[in-house]
Amino acid sequence: MKDVAARAGVGLKTVSRVVNEEPGVTPETERRVQEAIEALGFRRNDSARVLRKGRTASIGLVLEDLADPFYGPLSRAVEEVARAHGALLINGSSAEDPEREQELVLALCARRVDGLVVIPAGDDHRYLEPEVKAGVATVFVDRPAGHIDADVVVSDNFGGARDGVAHLIAHGHRRIGFIGDMPRIHTAAERLRGYRAAMEDAEITVEDSWMSLGVTDPERVRRAAEEMLTGPEPVTAVFAGNNRVTVTVIRVLAGHTRPVALVGFDDIELADLLQPGVTVVAQDAAALGRTAAERLFRQLDGTLLTPERIVLPTRLITRGSGELPPAG
Amino acid sequence: MKDVAARAGVGLKTVSRVVNEEPGVTPETERRVQEAIEALGFRRNDSARVLRKGRTASIGLVLEDLADPFYGPLSRAVEEVARAHGALLINGSSAEDPEREQELVLALCARRVDGLVVIPAGDDHRYLEPEVKAGVATVFVDRPAGHIDADVVVSDNFGGARDGVAHLIAHGHRRIGFIGDMPRIHTAAERLRGYRAAMEDAEITVEDSWMSLGVTDPERVRRAAEEMLTGPEPVTAVFAGNNRVTVTVIRVLAGHTRPVALVGFDDIELADLLQPGVTVVAQDAAALGRTAAERLFRQLDGTLLTPERIVLPTRLITRGSGELPPAG
DNA sequence: TAGAGCCTGGACAACGTTGTCAGATGCGGG
DNA sequence: CCCGCATCTGACAACGTTGTCCAGGCTCTA
């Protein structure tokens, strides 16, 4: 900038004025400055700008895994909102590791992001308190925050799972299996609660052998599903706790002749083209991201004061697999 | 930091030393400083640090659409490499709009990212020249850069498409349709070239009505596919130019009784569970991202000097749909 | 005990920008 | 001809950190 000023034969501040389109610069002067900028290939250094202004026009997004198809649309939605507010998006994957989540969040805070959208891996976010106090807007998505008062945007995991399981019950099933993630993950716990609630509503006593909790890698999901299907009390239907489980269960069922009903949490691509089509409880990932980001920017505007918990509805999409009658 | 120094009763620089774990501080002094840091909830301001040091420890990733399942793993791979080098990832979607790409890239440069991984939307990157000269490491992925000498990491789009089409020819097809994206997109053009090459190798004259270029939204792909399948010279096989086209074509074929062979570019989830399984030419998105990011950091190390063009192989995965014999 | 050498700690400038404020310039009116 | 006013311009400090350099106190040796 100094160089530009020297070349244009003007003061530093005048260049700054031109760059920021502030009023009070003669067209002639502006032309000279623009010329110098062009000639020198000058680009404003935002780091210095940030240092002076205090705002970075960037927000951080911490999620579990960018490669998971569920987070792609969510991430994209957050980005769109950020873009509409002239902000850039910095993101990182926590890989479901609380320590890594904290490390990422603090790194983002050191960058002085204006706000954070966090899909928590851990369940204790007291480490964020000083940051929040220092003015970093924060919204938690998909799962609630732990030990901290903050905005939360989640899907109705409990209700969705309950409806999905009730749907199976309505089609005559009583022995219904549940395969889900570790209950320490809030969404997994809620979905399990939904499963239990639906079963209880129908006065069905759940056998331990019908449930598999905390399995997550395909191989173990596969084994868990096989056990449920072939045990002494084989299930006639399975409720899959998330998209990855659903996919694996579909593969397992494809290897069996006895038709087994299936409802999965989260929609999956091509679900309609399989035989039978896969019935799912779909959540709107994009809406989660959009809602969270919009709240974030309202916090930054100062329009928003009290933290709130927003629950978005899920939607049961029937495609065939969930409507199969009990067999075996 | 000033406050910390005051509270600990030491000089500014001493605090800096503690924060950066520089040697030359008595344990006792360090303890006092740590205490003050803790008490005040101090966090180093990276903006100021960047301003002073010149390096931001962050890299930018510009891609087409974060929500596209092809870019998730790519993005994740870049992030992993960045993380290994202690850098954060800032990313943005260009939405296939050259102007938006440029806007994003320049915004990232203003942030003084150390390097850029770009999946180009446009075909002229001369606007990047001053930045590259100024030391911003740059790698283009998935598609080559235009009018600029830079590292490029791409899949073998030409070879992959040629092999895929040759595979169909080997199974007896001669009337083979091609549905792809706009030829101004390099990958689309290369795949088209591969299609033509395979056809030429087999001495088949391609009819214009077999090709549909530049369609991208599902509705138009659907119409294009229908026309090919029902025209006067109906095709007996289709080569789909990317994952989104493949999915739509699968839907169209599901509505027809005559079996039509299909090979798609890019792998898709659950492709093995459909009836028939979908034969694809798969590219390794994660490898693309990893390779690009690694080259980027080697540029930053100074280990790498001359720009290179790296071509990663594709892999034909046969699952049934590509091995159907001609019918009709 | 004096001088050399080492270790710790602090003062100060610099990074590139923007906000504040005051100076310069030009114009019109008294 | 001079004054007041409006408009444009530039000098300077400040943002929070780090690199440089020097001071002061210590230990060790002659």
Side-chain angles (χ1 to χ4, degrees):
Chain A
M1 195 148 169
K2 215 170 27 184
D3 300 338
V4 174
R7 183 178 179 117
V10 300
L12 216 51
K13 181 64 206 190
T14 303
V15 179
S16 171
R17 269 192 271 262
V18 171
V19 171
N20 293 293
E21 302 180 348
E22 286 172 34
V25 181
T26 335
E28 159 61 14
T29 311
E30 177 167 351
R31 198 191 47 73
R32 279 217 319 282
V33 172
Q34 287 290 10
E35 223 170 69
I37 287 178
E38 199 75 18
L40 296 170
F42 166 81
R43 190 106 43 216
R44 180 177 62 198
N45 183 329
D46 272 349
S47 294
R49 177 165 223 260
V50 161
L51 182 58
R52 196 65 174 77
K53 303 212 107 170
R55 282 262 165 126
T56 56
S58 57
I59 66 172
L61 171 62
V62 177
L63 36 69
E64 189 227 317
D65 182 1
L66 256 179
D68 186 317
F70 175 70
Y71 295 113
L74 193 155
S75 189
R76 178 67 195 273
V78 172
E79 190 205 338
E80 286 303 328
V81 177
R83 184 178 138 79
H85 287 81
L88 283 177
L89 183 65
I90 308 183
N91 53 24
S93 305
S94 67
E96 209 64 271
D97 173 356
E99 221 168 290
R100 191 157 153 188
E101 171 208 308
Q102 176 169 351
E103 187 187 299
L104 258 170
V105 166
L106 293 183
L108 290 168
C109 288
R111 294 290 157 112
R112 293 294 187 271
V113 291
D114 296 338
L116 281 170
V117 176
V118 181
I119 293 165
D123 49 10
D124 184 353
H125 297 89
R126 270 172 292 188
Y127 69 86
L128 256 172
E129 248 168 45
E131 314 296 339
V132 171
K133 241 180 243 158
V136 181
T138 311
V139 180
F140 291 83
V141 196
D142 190 42
R143 311 167 187 175
H147 303 104
I148 192 169
D149 195 30
D151 265 321
V152 171
V153 181
V154 291
S155 280
D156 183 9
N157 291 289
F158 169 75
R162 194 191 45 199
D163 294 353
V165 174
H167 181 75
L168 288 168
I169 295 171
H171 281 81
H173 296 273
R174 297 188 62 81
R175 296 202 308 277
I176 303 173
F178 177 93
I179 306 182
D181 219 325
M182 294 162 285
R184 77 162 179 77
I185 298 177
H186 180 265
T187 50
E190 282 292 292
R191 293 171 197 176
L192 175 60
R193 204 162 64 81
Y195 164 78
R196 284 183 188 284
M199 296 298 263
E200 194 163 324
D201 286 350
E203 299 183 347
I204 302 172
T205 310
V206 175
E207 304 285 328
D208 279 353
S209 65
W210 297 351
M211 291 184 304
S212 163
L213 311 178
V215 301
T216 167
D217 67 299
E219 192 37 51
R220 290 182 55 201
V221 170
R222 174 180 295 276
R223 274 211 303 277
E226 291 289 1
E227 273 171 33
M228 276 179 206
L229 293 171
T230 55
E233 278 274 289
V235 299
T236 62
V238 174
F239 186 84
N242 66 41
N243 53 358
R244 279 163 302 188
V245 171
T246 306
V247 169
T248 306
V249 171
I250 293 172
R251 286 187 208 285
V252 171
L253 294 184
H256 284 250
T257 48
R258 172 166 66 96
V260 171
L262 170 68
V263 173
F265 208 108
D266 293 335
D267 202 1
I268 50 181
E269 206 177 15
L270 296 183
D272 56 327
L273 288 178
L274 296 174
Q275 292 299 336
V278 184
T279 294
V280 298
V281 176
Q283 47 177 335
D284 190 341
L288 279 175
R290 198 176 335 109
T291 309
E294 274 163 4
R295 273 194 88 78
L296 190 76
F297 282 102
R298 281 181 54 203
Q299 279 184 35
L300 289 173
D301 286 355
T303 339
L304 214 56
L305 296 169
T306 31
E308 230 174 292
R309 180 196 185 88
I310 298 179
V311 179
L312 299 184
T314 57
R315 199 159 52 94
L316 183 74
I317 305 178
T318 58
R319 297 198 179 106
S321 77
E323 294 75 52
L324 295 174
Chain B
M1 194 146 171
K2 215 171 26 185
D3 300 338
V4 174
R7 182 176 178 119
V10 301
L12 216 52
K13 180 64 203 190
T14 303
V15 178
S16 171
R17 270 193 271 262
V18 170
V19 170
N20 294 293
E21 301 179 350
E22 286 172 33
V25 181
T26 337
E28 160 60 15
T29 311
E30 177 168 351
R31 198 190 47 74
R32 279 216 319 281
V33 173
Q34 286 291 9
E35 224 170 68
I37 288 179
E38 199 76 18
L40 296 169
F42 166 81
R43 190 105 42 215
R44 179 177 61 197
N45 182 328
D46 271 349
S47 295
R49 176 167 224 258
V50 161
L51 182 58
R52 195 64 174 78
K53 302 210 107 171
R55 283 266 165 122
T56 55
S58 57
I59 66 173
L61 171 62
V62 177
L63 36 70
E64 189 228 317
D65 181 2
L66 256 179
D68 186 316
F70 176 71
Y71 294 113
L74 193 155
S75 189
R76 177 67 196 272
V78 172
E79 190 206 337
E80 285 303 328
V81 176
R83 185 178 137 80
H85 286 81
L88 283 178
L89 183 64
I90 308 184
N91 53 22
S93 305
S94 67
E96 209 64 271
D97 173 356
E99 219 167 291
R100 192 157 153 188
E101 171 207 309
Q102 177 169 350
E103 185 187 301
L104 257 171
V105 166
L106 293 183
L108 290 168
C109 288
R111 294 290 156 111
R112 294 293 189 272
V113 291
D114 296 338
L116 281 170
V117 175
V118 181
I119 293 165
D123 49 11
D124 185 354
H125 298 88
R126 270 171 294 189
Y127 69 86
L128 255 172
E129 246 167 47
E131 314 297 338
V132 170
K133 240 179 242 158
V136 180
T138 311
V139 180
F140 291 84
V141 196
D142 190 41
R143 312 167 186 173
H147 304 105
I148 192 169
D149 194 30
D151 265 321
V152 172
V153 181
V154 290
S155 280
D156 182 10
N157 290 290
F158 169 74
R162 194 189 46 198
D163 294 353
V165 174
H167 181 74
L168 288 167
I169 294 171
H171 281 80
H173 296 273
R174 296 188 63 80
R175 298 204 306 279
I176 302 174
F178 177 93
I179 305 182
D181 219 325
M182 294 162 286
R184 78 162 176 77
I185 298 177
H186 181 265
T187 49
E190 282 293 291
R191 293 170 197 177
L192 175 59
R193 203 162 66 80
Y195 165 78
R196 285 184 186 285
M199 295 298 263
E200 196 164 320
D201 286 350
E203 298 183 348
I204 302 172
T205 311
V206 175
E207 303 286 330
D208 278 353
S209 65
W210 297 352
M211 290 185 303
S212 164
L213 310 178
V215 301
T216 167
D217 67 299
E219 192 36 52
R220 290 181 55 201
V221 170
R222 175 179 294 275
R223 275 210 303 276
E226 291 288 1
E227 274 170 34
M228 276 179 205
L229 293 171
T230 55
E233 280 272 290
V235 300
T236 63
V238 174
F239 186 83
N242 66 42
N243 53 358
R244 278 163 303 189
V245 171
T246 305
V247 168
T248 306
V249 171
I250 292 171
R251 288 187 207 284
V252 171
L253 295 184
H256 284 251
T257 49
R258 172 165 67 94
V260 172
L262 169 67
V263 173
F265 209 108
D266 293 334
D267 202 1
I268 49 180
E269 205 177 14
L270 296 183
D272 56 327
L273 289 178
L274 295 174
Q275 291 299 336
V278 184
T279 295
V280 298
V281 177
Q283 46 177 335
D284 189 342
L288 279 175
R290 199 176 334 110
T291 309
E294 274 163 4
R295 271 195 89 77
L296 189 76
F297 282 102
R298 280 181 57 203
Q299 279 184 34
L300 290 172
D301 286 356
T303 339
L304 215 56
L305 297 169
T306 31
E308 227 174 292
R309 180 197 184 87
I310 297 179
V311 179
L312 299 184
T314 57
R315 200 159 51 94
L316 183 74
I317 305 178
T318 58
R319 296 198 179 106
S321 77
E323 295 74 50
L324 294 174

